[in-house]
Amino acid sequence: MRWSKLFVPTLRDAPADAEAASHKLLVRGGFMRQLHAGHYSMLTLGMRVHSKVAAIVRAEMDAIGAQEFQLPTMHPMGLWHKSGRSELMGDEMFRLADRKGTELALGVTEEEVFTTLALELSSYKQLPQHWYQIHTKFRDEPRPKSGLLRVREFTMKDSYSFDLDEAGLDASFDLHYDAYVRIFTRLGLSAMPVEASSGSMGGTESIEFMVPSPAGEDDVVRCPSCDYAANLERSVSVIPTVVDEAGPDAPVRFATPGVRTIAALEEIDGGAPAERQIKTMVMVLDDEVTLALLRGDHQLNLQKLQDATGAAEVRAATPEEALAAMGANPGSLGAVGVELRVIADPALAGRTNMTTGANDDDWHLRGVDVGRDISVSEFAELRDVSVGEGCPKCGTPVEIVRCIESGHIFKLGRKFTEAFDAKVLDPNGKAQHMIMGSYGIGIDRAVATIVETYHDDRGIVWPVAVAPFEAVITIASMKDEAGVAAAEKIYADLGAAGVDVVIDDRKARAGVKFADAELVGIPFRITIGKALADGEVEVTRRAGQITERVAVDSAVSWVVDAVQAAR
RNA sequence: CGGGAUGUGGCGCAGCUUGGUAGCGCGCUGCGUUCGGGACGCAGAGGUCGGGGGUUCAAAUCCCCCCAUCCCGACCA
């Protein structure tokens, strides 16, 4: 390609509303432009990177025997009613109607459509089937942000496996796991597999591939000395046991005027340290008012509560709802004698002589024995893990790392095959619902994640495998006829050698060309200018900005070798 | 959904307090000089001042409503 013909609108200043490095650099480098919130136009440079990322994903999916499909993105709403996900997705789904009034939806994922196709599978002999596509998805995110990292319209590689039984699913899952490891390695991303919540979709095993980055939105709990890693919403930790003193035979009411917080209850006469308090949170789970109990110094993780209960919607009760259900205002609530469903964190199991609200404003109870005084419906992990708590595997203090979720694989189970009645005959001639796995990688998010990982103060530093061009030939002066001729020769030879090369033949000053090449992030640059007098050109590696001079005649082989070594 | 901020030429911004008919830097076009790290001079092009309504002789500026975008939080197969 000739840069003089390309549309690469680089900017000296980043748009004022860009925060994330990838957002700024992809816009400044002329890779993309925002159309509106959460929707980006990919320009030619962006599309080149996008295509290269997609090609790597495609190659690795093909390598495990997966078959590429392309499904509609606009679906009849009936499909989503059938799977029960219309309600589940709620406002996250873009919904529309056609001229006849037929309800339609834009695909958030494609389990429904793939499962519809799987109805044509009839025998276990056809299994496993691994089907995938690389296609547009829509999610009406409440808050698009950070450029490509969180958008409403995006490209995702989504694949689905169909197996006869759990053993088959395990094998399909492992194939994908290995493919994902290879994909992220090729993309240059150090993605770590972590245990994750499979969310409201159920399913058993769920693994997210997480790339550490301050631009991320997920917290991963990781052990520095063993292989334990889990999404915060799935993590557990070991904490020291609190030894309780013996308490009274029954809870004792005591006045706590004005006390509304854990901290205030620690301070007041007759109060208790936070770890000796029971925090009572009034939650609404699919319209059922429920109490979530935690140790006073612990934080509730909503996703854990959702996972533990299987509720589709989990939210905190409003103060009015809490008052109606408990007879007191938040700050004075407790579970003693309450008839509602009560879910308690295991850190409260067996605890005695604790302090909690009395369900009477300005009153609390002390001497509360969890087993004796509270009818706990169930115990479930509800609390957030904190830095420094013990690794559940080896006890080492854990750390928490901010990450970008780059991939997610999980065992879906039979939810969809049962909803759509997708069955095959097993070896005994008996019809069985197939079991599914679901696997996703966001292509655009991967592009942004690569930029987050690989940039410096001059611009992007693309890994060769995904760079918009592998090499750029920079002609210092277009008036230098010998230079132009030498550059054209190298350009032709590199092209013939299969290198993805662009020649910067713009009538611009050298400084402009250097700055653009660096901002855009092309891995190798051949500069043809003053060195030519000595029969040489300069070759520069973008990573580290290392320049050396080589003979004109060996420039092509130098670049070919460098590119091949890095591909 | 709660809190905060912003909307003026392609990008970055000033002007608004105190109304008088729009300006700066970058970019863009032409000519000249320059030519290895985002050159310089001269001459130009380009703006419904987010939208609607109102006040006023007069609104980018004051008032009301709406919209959009960004940030923090909530939420997020």
Side-chain angles (χ1 to χ4, degrees):
Chain A
M1 298 295 295
R2 294 180 179 277
W3 201 308
S4 61
K5 306 297 181 202
L6 288 175
F7 180 59
V8 183
T10 56
L11 300 175
R12 200 181 290 233
D13 301 306
D17 50 21
E19 285 283 310
S22 62
H23 186 186
K24 290 180 183 169
L25 291 172
L26 287 170
V27 173
R28 279 192 59 208
F31 290 81
M32 66 180 194
R33 287 293 185 265
Q34 181 175 22
L35 181 62
H36 66 138
H39 299 262
Y40 285 85
S41 305
M42 297 307 281
L43 313 186
T44 190
L45 239 39
M47 200 55 213
R48 282 183 157 264
V49 177
H50 192 276
S51 299
K52 289 190 179 185
V53 170
I56 287 171
V57 173
R58 180 177 287 116
E60 293 297 341
M61 294 310 297
D62 291 346
I64 61 169
Q67 305 157 62
E68 185 169 11
F69 287 41
Q70 174 119 214
L71 272 40
T73 279
M74 193 182 291
H75 305 162
M77 204 63 223
L79 267 189
W80 291 77
H81 287 135
K82 194 166 183 178
S83 67
R85 290 210 295 179
S86 174
E87 294 72 30
L88 212 57
M89 288 298 174
D91 291 335
E92 193 145 344
M93 198 162 189
F94 283 104
R95 297 157 194 266
L96 62 158
D98 68 13
R99 64 171 76 200
K100 290 184 287 189
T102 305
E103 289 187 292
L104 302 167
L106 299 182
V108 176
T109 59
E110 303 258 0
E111 278 85 357
E112 283 81 356
V113 185
F114 272 105
T115 306
T116 299
L117 293 168
L119 289 172
E120 294 192 46
L121 294 169
S122 51
S123 163
Y124 75 96
K125 294 175 188 169
Q126 295 172 291
L127 302 184
Q129 288 290 322
H130 297 156
W131 296 347
Y132 78 99
Q133 64 173 348
I134 297 174
H135 206 194
T136 310
K137 300 282 179 294
F138 293 88
R139 286 185 195 177
D140 192 355
E141 290 286 347
R143 188 175 155 214
K145 58 184 284 200
S146 305
L148 289 185
L149 287 174
R150 187 164 205 72
V151 290
R152 302 201 298 177
E153 175 176 352
F154 55 99
T155 309
M156 185 162 113
K157 187 287 297 176
D158 50 321
S159 48
Y160 307 86
S161 61
F162 295 87
D163 281 282
L164 180 65
D165 54 24
E166 275 73 3
L169 173 58
D170 289 348
S172 294
F173 186 84
D174 291 345
L175 273 178
H176 273 86
Y177 183 102
D178 293 342
Y180 274 40
V181 169
R182 286 191 293 270
I183 288 167
F184 291 119
T185 300
R186 289 179 65 179
L187 294 179
L189 293 176
S190 53
M192 54 178 171
V194 312
E195 293 177 30
S197 159
S198 47
S200 50
M201 293 312 304
T204 48
E205 201 167 352
S206 175
I207 290 179
E208 288 170 340
F209 287 83
M210 296 295 221
V211 178
S213 164
E217 298 187 277
D218 284 280
D219 288 313
V220 168
V221 174
R222 179 169 71 174
C223 176
S225 66
C226 76
D227 63 350
Y228 179 75
N231 193 306
L232 182 67
E233 62 194 30
R234 182 58 192 271
S235 62
V236 290
S237 65
V238 180
I239 51 176
T241 311
V242 177
V243 180
D244 296 312
E245 301 150 15
D249 293 338
V252 177
R253 265 170 68 93
F254 65 107
T256 52
V259 171
R260 290 292 181 274
T261 63
I262 301 284
L265 190 55
E266 287 194 284
E267 298 299 319
I268 196 171
D269 262 359
E275 68 269 19
R276 304 279 306 278
Q277 298 184 34
I278 302 171
K279 180 188 287 188
T280 307
M281 305 188 69
V282 185
M283 307 299 295
V284 180
L285 309 183
D286 295 338
D287 300 328
E288 180 190 6
V289 177
T290 303
L291 297 187
L293 304 188
L294 292 129
R295 211 170 82 179
D297 56 335
H298 289 163
Q299 297 298 316
L300 173 67
N301 184 299
L302 279 178
Q303 187 66 49
K304 285 186 174 180
L305 179 60
Q306 182 165 26
D307 290 350
T309 58
E313 191 200 345
V314 171
R315 64 177 175 87
T318 63
E320 296 73 34
E321 287 172 323
L323 179 61
M326 306 291 285
N329 287 296
S332 303
L333 301 178
V336 176
V338 173
E339 301 283 312
L340 298 167
R341 181 179 185 188
V342 176
I343 300 164
D345 186 81
L348 294 176
R351 296 290 305 279
T352 60
N353 197 21
M354 311 258 315
T355 300
T356 190
N359 286 333
D360 194 355
D361 289 354
D362 300 325
W363 291 86
H364 280 76
L365 298 175
R366 75 166 72 93
V368 174
D369 182 324
V370 173
R372 179 191 67 197
D373 301 321
I374 298 175
S375 59
V376 174
S377 314
E378 60 205 284
F379 282 95
E381 278 289 336
L382 297 180
R383 69 177 177 90
D384 272 336
V385 168
S386 295
V387 174
E389 294 175 353
C391 168
K393 282 192 176 174
C394 71
T396 307
V398 296
E399 52 194 31
I400 296 184
V401 194
R402 200 75 161 149
C403 287
I404 298 169
E405 181 190 342
S406 301
H408 191 178
I409 60 177
F410 77 103
K411 297 180 180 175
L412 235 191
R414 296 188 171 83
K415 176 186 169 75
F416 290 91
T417 52
E418 284 170 358
F420 287 81
D421 201 26
K423 292 188 282 200
V424 295
L425 295 181
D426 69 12
N428 304 315
K430 197 176 155 212
Q432 305 274 7
H433 287 115
M434 289 175 283
I435 186 163
M436 292 174 67
S438 176
Y439 319 88
I441 291 180
I443 303 296
D444 345 53
R445 181 178 280 189
V447 170
T449 306
I450 293 166
V451 179
E452 292 291 340
T453 306
Y454 297 100
H455 68 270
D456 60 22
D457 54 1
R458 296 184 182 196
I460 304 172
V461 187
W462 292 109
V464 172
V466 298
F469 293 100
E470 291 169 325
V472 54
I473 299 165
T474 301
I475 305 171
S477 170
M478 291 303 289
K479 288 185 178 164
D480 172 9
E481 287 178 23
V484 171
E488 289 290 349
K489 170 99 170 51
I490 292 170
Y491 174 62
D493 290 349
L494 279 177
V499 173
D500 192 5
V501 60
V502 59
I503 182 167
D504 193 345
D505 56 345
R506 291 177 294 172
K507 290 187 177 66
R509 299 169 67 85
V512 172
K513 297 187 181 187
F514 294 150
D516 274 348
E518 286 154 8
L519 172 61
V520 161
I522 299 169
F524 300 105
R525 185 178 84 210
I526 302 164
T527 308
I528 293 159
K530 58 194 179 192
L532 195 60
D534 304 326
E536 292 181 327
V537 298
E538 288 156 62
V539 287
T540 303
R541 292 174 187 272
R542 177 66 181 87
Q545 287 294 128
I546 304 157
T547 298
E548 55 187 288
R549 286 170 68 141
V550 301
V552 177
D553 294 342
S554 58
V556 169
S557 60
W558 188 95
V559 171
V560 168
D561 290 349
V563 166
Q564 283 177 350
R567 264 180 188 158

